[in-house]
Amino acid sequence: MAFYSQIAHNVLPPLMTTSSTLGRGAFELIKSITASSDSDITFADGSNGVTFDSTFKTYCFKFIDIHGSVNFRHLGFDIQVSGGSGFDEPKISSGYEANHSQTNNGTQFQAATAIDLIDSTNLQAIIYGIGSENDEAGAGELWLFLPSDTAKNMHFISQTVNHTDDDKIRHTFMGGYTNEPGAIDEIRFKMSEGNIDSGTIKMYGIR
Amino acid sequence: MATYKSIRYSPLIGPGQVLLKTITASSSSNLQFTQGITSEYKEYLFVAAGFHPEESNKVPQFQVSTDGGSSYGVTATTAFHVVEHAEDGSADNVYYQASQDIQNGTGFQSFAEGTGNENDSCMDGYLHIYNPAGTTHVKLFHTSMMCQRNSAMAHGKASGYFNTTNAINAVKFQLSSGNIDAGTISMYGLN
């Protein structure tokens, strides 16, 4: 029985990535981490089997049933360049959201100004206002483009959905870039306050 | 030399996306996936390609089941917005579309506005459902679907949650009325 790494590619790989942009790139699972009351989840190149370098031009992170310990808190990320410390690279971002109340308190379609950043080292929130009741959670994906390129700023886009603390569905789109030259080889996910009680974060590389 | 059919994927590195099933429409009233949605994958992706209605201006929709497809109608709350642009440059808009969302209801969720039945019109896009077999949280999903109608493009984006902690194990696709003339829907599991 052959393993994937042993295969000479005499067939086409799966035809698609999971974004709206279709292609023929292999979508390779690098690492999956399941939270258990963790203060953060970090993917660092060379640590625990993680590859986060020029092997892949694009990386995708998937968030599945993220549940925080504190009500109305956001899952976000910070990044770090190779050799850096403190996860304090500045970011610029903007986004928008569509939300709809389960209890008929209306709809909203608006800029996500509460979580955009202006050359800030703060946490970049991507899942906004997750409720902490047992059945409430958030999910979605984050894409990083050319994180290993030392000549360009790294761009990112995210799309997430969550059950909010006030019983809404919130669909949030964020985009931005890191204003820091240097190869990025670490990313840290955490809640804006409290722990990640449960949930899974998966890291994929796209060649 | 291994052939594709004999691959056993490495548990650490491998294709994250596995094709589980493809259904092709042929004047079909609906397309259902009633097997293969299990705890084996934490995310499922459904990709619609060349989805073509027999009648014009029919809305593509979906719902889910917790009883293997015996019934569809799990309570959901959803949001829906549209980006549109006409070939003549008019209707260059992005807006929330309240007529296509669901507020704590059991109806089918729209993917997009009505799709034309001209030969060159169709609908393409995808649906993500996260952890459908989970029994702790609600079931979150989002969609992105492009359609062409009346010489204009409309990109519909729906998101929501099925408000159940029961496992979802079937998905049904249909039009608001009439048959699906042609097209495929493929179901993928993401490792």
Side-chain angles (χ1 to χ4, degrees):
Chain A
M1 187 69 71
F3 285 85
Y4 184 73
S5 57
Q6 300 169 316
I7 294 169
H9 293 277
N10 62 339
V11 295
L12 291 174
L15 292 178
M16 300 182 59
T17 68
T18 60
S19 78
S20 57
T21 304
L22 308 184
R24 291 180 182 272
F27 206 81
E28 297 188 11
L29 177 63
I30 296 171
K31 185 78 176 177
S32 178
I33 300 177
T34 297
S36 178
S37 298
D38 295 314
S39 60
D40 63 75
I41 291 177
T42 298
F43 296 84
D45 183 50
S47 176
N48 295 318
V50 170
T51 298
F52 195 3
D53 59 16
S54 60
T55 302
F56 301 96
K57 288 187 175 180
T58 306
Y59 289 86
C60 179
F61 295 86
K62 295 280 189 174
F63 314 101
I64 299 161
D65 284 359
I66 302 296
H67 184 79
S69 64
V70 181
N71 198 36
F72 186 62
R73 294 299 182 269
H74 329 309
L75 180 79
F77 73 90
D78 287 309
I79 48 91
Q80 186 157 279
V81 298
S82 178
S85 63
F87 286 92
D88 57 356
E89 318 301 354
K91 301 173 283 292
I92 296 92
S93 65
S94 67
Y96 69 97
E97 64 161 298
N99 69 59
H100 189 193
S101 169
Q102 176 183 318
T103 53
N104 203 22
N105 285 325
T107 64
Q108 289 179 303
F109 187 60
Q110 60 191 6
T113 54
I115 56 174
D116 64 15
L117 298 177
I118 306 172
D119 212 18
S120 171
T121 60
N122 289 345
L123 184 77
Q124 174 61 65
I126 50 177
I127 308 181
Y128 180 68
I130 304 172
S132 64
E133 291 184 25
N134 285 343
D135 66 346
E136 297 172 343
E141 60 190 26
L142 166 69
W143 292 74
L144 306 181
F145 300 93
L146 293 174
S148 64
D149 192 320
T150 57
K152 300 182 180 67
N153 294 321
M154 182 194 73
H155 290 76
F156 62 87
I157 56 174
S158 67
Q159 176 176 199
T160 63
V161 291
N162 63 295
H163 186 307
T164 70
D165 60 305
D166 53 353
D167 291 334
K168 292 177 181 174
I169 174 65
R170 174 175 283 125
H171 196 178
T172 305
F173 300 81
M174 296 300 295
Y177 60 88
T178 58
N179 200 8
E180 180 70 34
I184 292 163
D185 66 354
E186 290 186 69
I187 186 167
R188 179 178 69 187
F189 297 96
K190 58 187 296 188
M191 303 301 294
S192 53
E193 182 183 355
N195 290 337
I196 306 173
D197 256 356
S198 60
T200 301
I201 300 180
K202 292 173 176 283
M203 179 184 191
Y204 298 89
I206 296 95
R207 293 186 191 276
Chain B
M1 180 82 65
T3 59
Y4 189 70
K5 289 179 180 178
S6 66
I7 294 169
R8 173 174 289 173
Y9 298 117
S10 159
L12 296 179
I13 293 282
Q17 185 170 303
V18 179
L19 175 62
L20 301 173
K21 187 178 180 67
T22 295
I23 302 177
T24 300
S26 179
S27 296
S28 308
S29 59
N30 60 70
L31 302 178
Q32 297 185 50
F33 293 84
T34 59
Q35 294 182 332
I37 303 174
T38 69
S39 60
E40 184 170 358
Y41 300 99
K42 286 200 168 184
E43 180 181 358
Y44 284 78
L45 169 66
F46 297 86
V47 178
F51 211 72
H52 187 259
E54 286 186 348
E55 303 170 31
S56 188
N57 296 339
K58 301 307 178 189
V59 175
Q61 308 169 324
F62 81 102
Q63 245 288 1
V64 299
S65 171
T66 59
D67 56 14
S70 297
S71 63
Y72 291 90
V74 178
T75 300
T77 293
T78 71
F80 192 94
H81 68 280
V82 177
V83 182
E84 65 180 13
H85 199 190
E87 292 175 13
D88 63 3
S90 64
D92 183 5
N93 301 310
V94 55
Y95 55 91
Y96 191 95
Q97 179 95 327
S99 63
Q100 307 278 28
D101 69 16
I102 297 173
Q103 185 258 313
N104 210 28
T106 59
F108 277 66
Q109 173 61 48
S110 300
F111 278 110
E113 297 182 299
T115 302
N117 69 342
E118 300 89 347
N119 286 341
D120 65 349
S121 293
C122 68
M123 180 193 76
D124 303 283
Y126 61 79
L127 157 69
H128 286 266
I129 299 179
Y130 294 92
N131 201 15
T135 56
T136 303
H137 304 300
V138 299
K139 307 301 181 295
L140 294 155
F141 70 87
H142 60 82
T143 76
S144 183
M145 200 67 76
M146 267 292 305
C147 69
Q148 177 188 354
R149 185 187 62 172
N150 299 333
S151 300
M153 58 76 59
H155 187 180
K157 297 182 85 70
S159 61
Y161 54 81
F162 291 102
N163 200 3
T164 179
T165 54
N166 294 327
I168 288 172
N169 51 19
V171 181
K172 181 179 183 179
F173 300 88
Q174 65 178 31
L175 294 166
S176 50
S177 66
N179 287 340
I180 306 163
D181 178 40
T184 62
I185 298 181
S186 297
M187 178 173 76
Y188 298 84
L190 273 72
N191 284 313

